[in-house]
Amino acid sequence: MYLTHLQCPRCDTAHDADRPQNLCSCGSPLLARYDLDGVRRAVAPETFAGRAADLWRYRELLPVADAAHVTTFGEGWTPMLPAPRYGGSIGLPNLLVKDEGLIPTGSFKARGAAVGVSRARELGIRHVAMPTNGNAGAAWATYAARAGMRATIAMPLGAPTITRRECVAAGAELHLIDGLIGDAGRHVGKLIAASSGSPGGEIFDVSTLKEPYRLEGKKTMGYEIVEQLGWQVPDVILYPTGGGVGLIGIHKALHEMRTLGWIGDALPRLVAVQSTGCAPIVRAFGAGANRAEPWADASTVAFGINVPAPLGDELILDALRDTGGTAIAVDDESILADLHEFGAREGLLLCPEGAACLTAAQRLRAGGWIRPDERVVVLNTGAGLKYPETVDVGGLPVVPR
């Protein structure tokens, strides 16, 4: 294993990676750091072609030392699909969709759960807890069950109902919360505090960015995008941003690959896509702020990005500015319209969060921020089948027998 330590990006303090860690004492999330010189000597880009088509192909850049602790359902290596008809209709003939809906549990959250649970298992953690907007909880419950661990999940009542069924099916202890994800987070905090000091009963907090290894699973999207493009970077990557772990992870992966010499100096422009009903990052980016203020009365059909106060706000904003990217908010009506239009043109039912990126791409192209010749990657972060209410079939006629 090439993992060396954990580093605080805010105060630069180094932390021991060989014991469970949550936030730095300054309140910032921690980032995993690797001996990249050692990785460079051990592997090269062409090495990966002969490995299994899953995210563990990048094992030298992941934090699990002993393969016996790897907890997997074969996650990763999702397809990157050309979308010429829809892309051509919005002036982006080189539009690509990376479809995370085909991953285990039906969303990209399985990447973070696979690596996070595997490392937790290796560090001796036996009970994890987290708040969720749905898909992350379903993924962590599923992977925890496979690892023989307990999971406690707190989920807002408004989350997609399929995700609560997934949690229950995986044997998790599910707490339904009358509120938003912040309320679920406060509930989890109380449970963890109550468990502290209880012999054998301590619960480890795996909330978004409160442990460092979920991000390591998510960053593999960045490695895959570049490898699938022949070790070339696209011009733009649009990412639906709630907690923003995937965007932060892709940014981290790009910097690792640049340090390794696997890509050049130019990085793709990263775009944080939010809903007009919950856009704290867009507001902060537009104001030139380094932190995002909580969004009041948050609400959107794209429930996965309904995060009023993301813990990783500094890291998200840094990733956007470092790459010359931007942040944009789109409305629910347009999200649903583009979801239907894309399905009719390309045959793929997107999740509403992924569809939000289409709307954003269309508007950025119309405004000239994206050029027509640029290669643009949209992240579809989950299976549209998990959101059946986005397709209304109530008005269809019934043919009599």
Side-chain angles (χ1 to χ4, degrees):
M1 183 173 69
Y2 294 89
L3 177 68
T4 57
H5 64 286
L6 302 172
Q7 180 189 23
C8 175
R10 183 186 295 166
C11 70
D12 205 37
T13 300
H15 294 260
D16 185 358
D18 291 328
R19 65 184 185 86
Q21 299 277 10
N22 288 121
L23 300 177
C24 180
S25 58
C26 74
S28 171
L30 299 176
L31 300 178
R33 298 303 185 195
Y34 299 84
D35 172 12
L36 294 180
D37 287 335
V39 173
R40 188 186 300 109
R41 290 190 295 269
V43 292
E46 56 268 22
T47 306
F48 303 109
R51 293 184 175 180
D54 59 33
L55 65 80
W56 298 100
R57 67 200 279 119
Y58 309 113
R59 55 183 173 269
E60 289 84 1
L61 291 147
L62 293 173
V64 182
D66 186 347
H69 296 296
V70 169
T71 305
T72 181
F73 289 97
E75 57 288 330
W77 204 247
T78 54
M80 195 131 69
L81 305 172
R85 283 179 294 277
Y86 181 86
S89 74
I90 64 171
L92 292 174
N94 298 316
L95 181 68
L96 297 161
V97 175
K98 186 155 178 64
D99 185 17
E100 294 289 290
L102 297 180
I103 211 165
T105 75
S107 87
F108 74 127
K109 303 290 187 178
R111 293 181 185 267
V115 176
V117 166
S118 296
R119 184 58 174 161
R121 183 181 182 186
E122 187 165 58
L123 293 173
I125 294 166
R126 294 291 173 259
H127 188 175
V128 296
M130 65 183 302
T132 180
N133 268 337
N135 280 320
W140 279 76
T142 299
Y143 280 81
R146 190 158 180 83
M149 297 165 60
R150 292 179 61 195
T152 298
I153 309 295
M155 181 185 298
L157 282 169
T161 55
I162 183 60
T163 58
R164 71 174 73 163
R165 296 179 189 276
E166 289 177 274
C167 291
V168 171
E173 180 183 326
L174 178 62
H175 297 224
L176 296 177
I177 307 298
D178 186 8
L180 298 176
I181 192 167
D183 303 297
R186 284 184 284 276
H187 178 74
V188 166
K190 292 176 183 177
L191 294 176
I192 290 169
S195 79
S196 180
S198 173
E202 286 196 11
I203 307 173
F204 187 68
D205 190 348
V206 294
S207 304
T208 302
L209 291 173
K210 287 190 177 179
E211 60 80 48
Y213 301 115
R214 181 197 302 209
L215 188 150
E216 295 303 289
K218 298 282 189 70
K219 81 177 182 185
T220 59
M221 290 186 291
Y223 280 94
E224 288 181 21
I225 288 169
V226 172
E227 185 178 0
Q228 287 170 330
L229 292 176
W231 296 99
Q232 299 292 316
V233 299
D235 297 293
V236 178
I237 299 175
L238 294 103
Y239 182 86
T241 305
V245 181
L247 186 143
I248 298 165
I250 290 170
H251 183 237
K252 183 174 187 287
L254 291 167
H255 273 274
E256 289 174 351
M257 284 186 278
R258 189 162 69 175
T259 300
L260 287 162
W262 295 354
I263 60 174
D265 289 337
L267 299 179
R269 307 194 305 278
L270 299 180
V271 180
V273 180
Q274 299 197 298
S275 164
T276 53
C278 183
I281 295 298
V282 175
R283 182 170 62 188
F285 184 84
N290 294 322
R291 301 297 306 267
E293 294 296 324
W295 190 272
D297 302 319
S299 177
T300 173
V301 67
F303 201 77
I305 56 175
N306 198 37
V307 181
L311 178 62
D313 54 350
E314 289 174 281
L315 295 171
I316 297 167
L317 292 163
D318 177 65
L320 301 182
R321 291 172 179 140
D322 177 60
T323 62
T326 192
I328 181 172
V330 295
D331 62 275
D332 282 2
E333 183 178 359
S334 297
I335 290 171
L336 292 177
D338 284 319
L339 183 152
H340 294 163
E341 179 70 12
F342 188 86
R345 287 184 180 269
E346 300 289 350
L348 177 62
L349 177 59
L350 303 176
C351 66
E353 296 82 9
C357 292
L358 294 178
T359 305
Q362 181 176 353
R363 294 186 181 176
L364 290 172
R365 171 68 198 101
W369 192 87
I370 301 177
R371 299 189 305 273
D373 61 331
E374 291 192 297
R375 189 158 49 179
V376 177
V377 174
V378 160
L379 268 297
N380 178 49
T381 50
L385 291 175
K386 300 187 84 169
Y387 302 84
E389 68 282 356
T390 63
V391 180
D392 184 11
V393 296
L396 293 178
V398 176
V399 178
R401 287 183 290 181

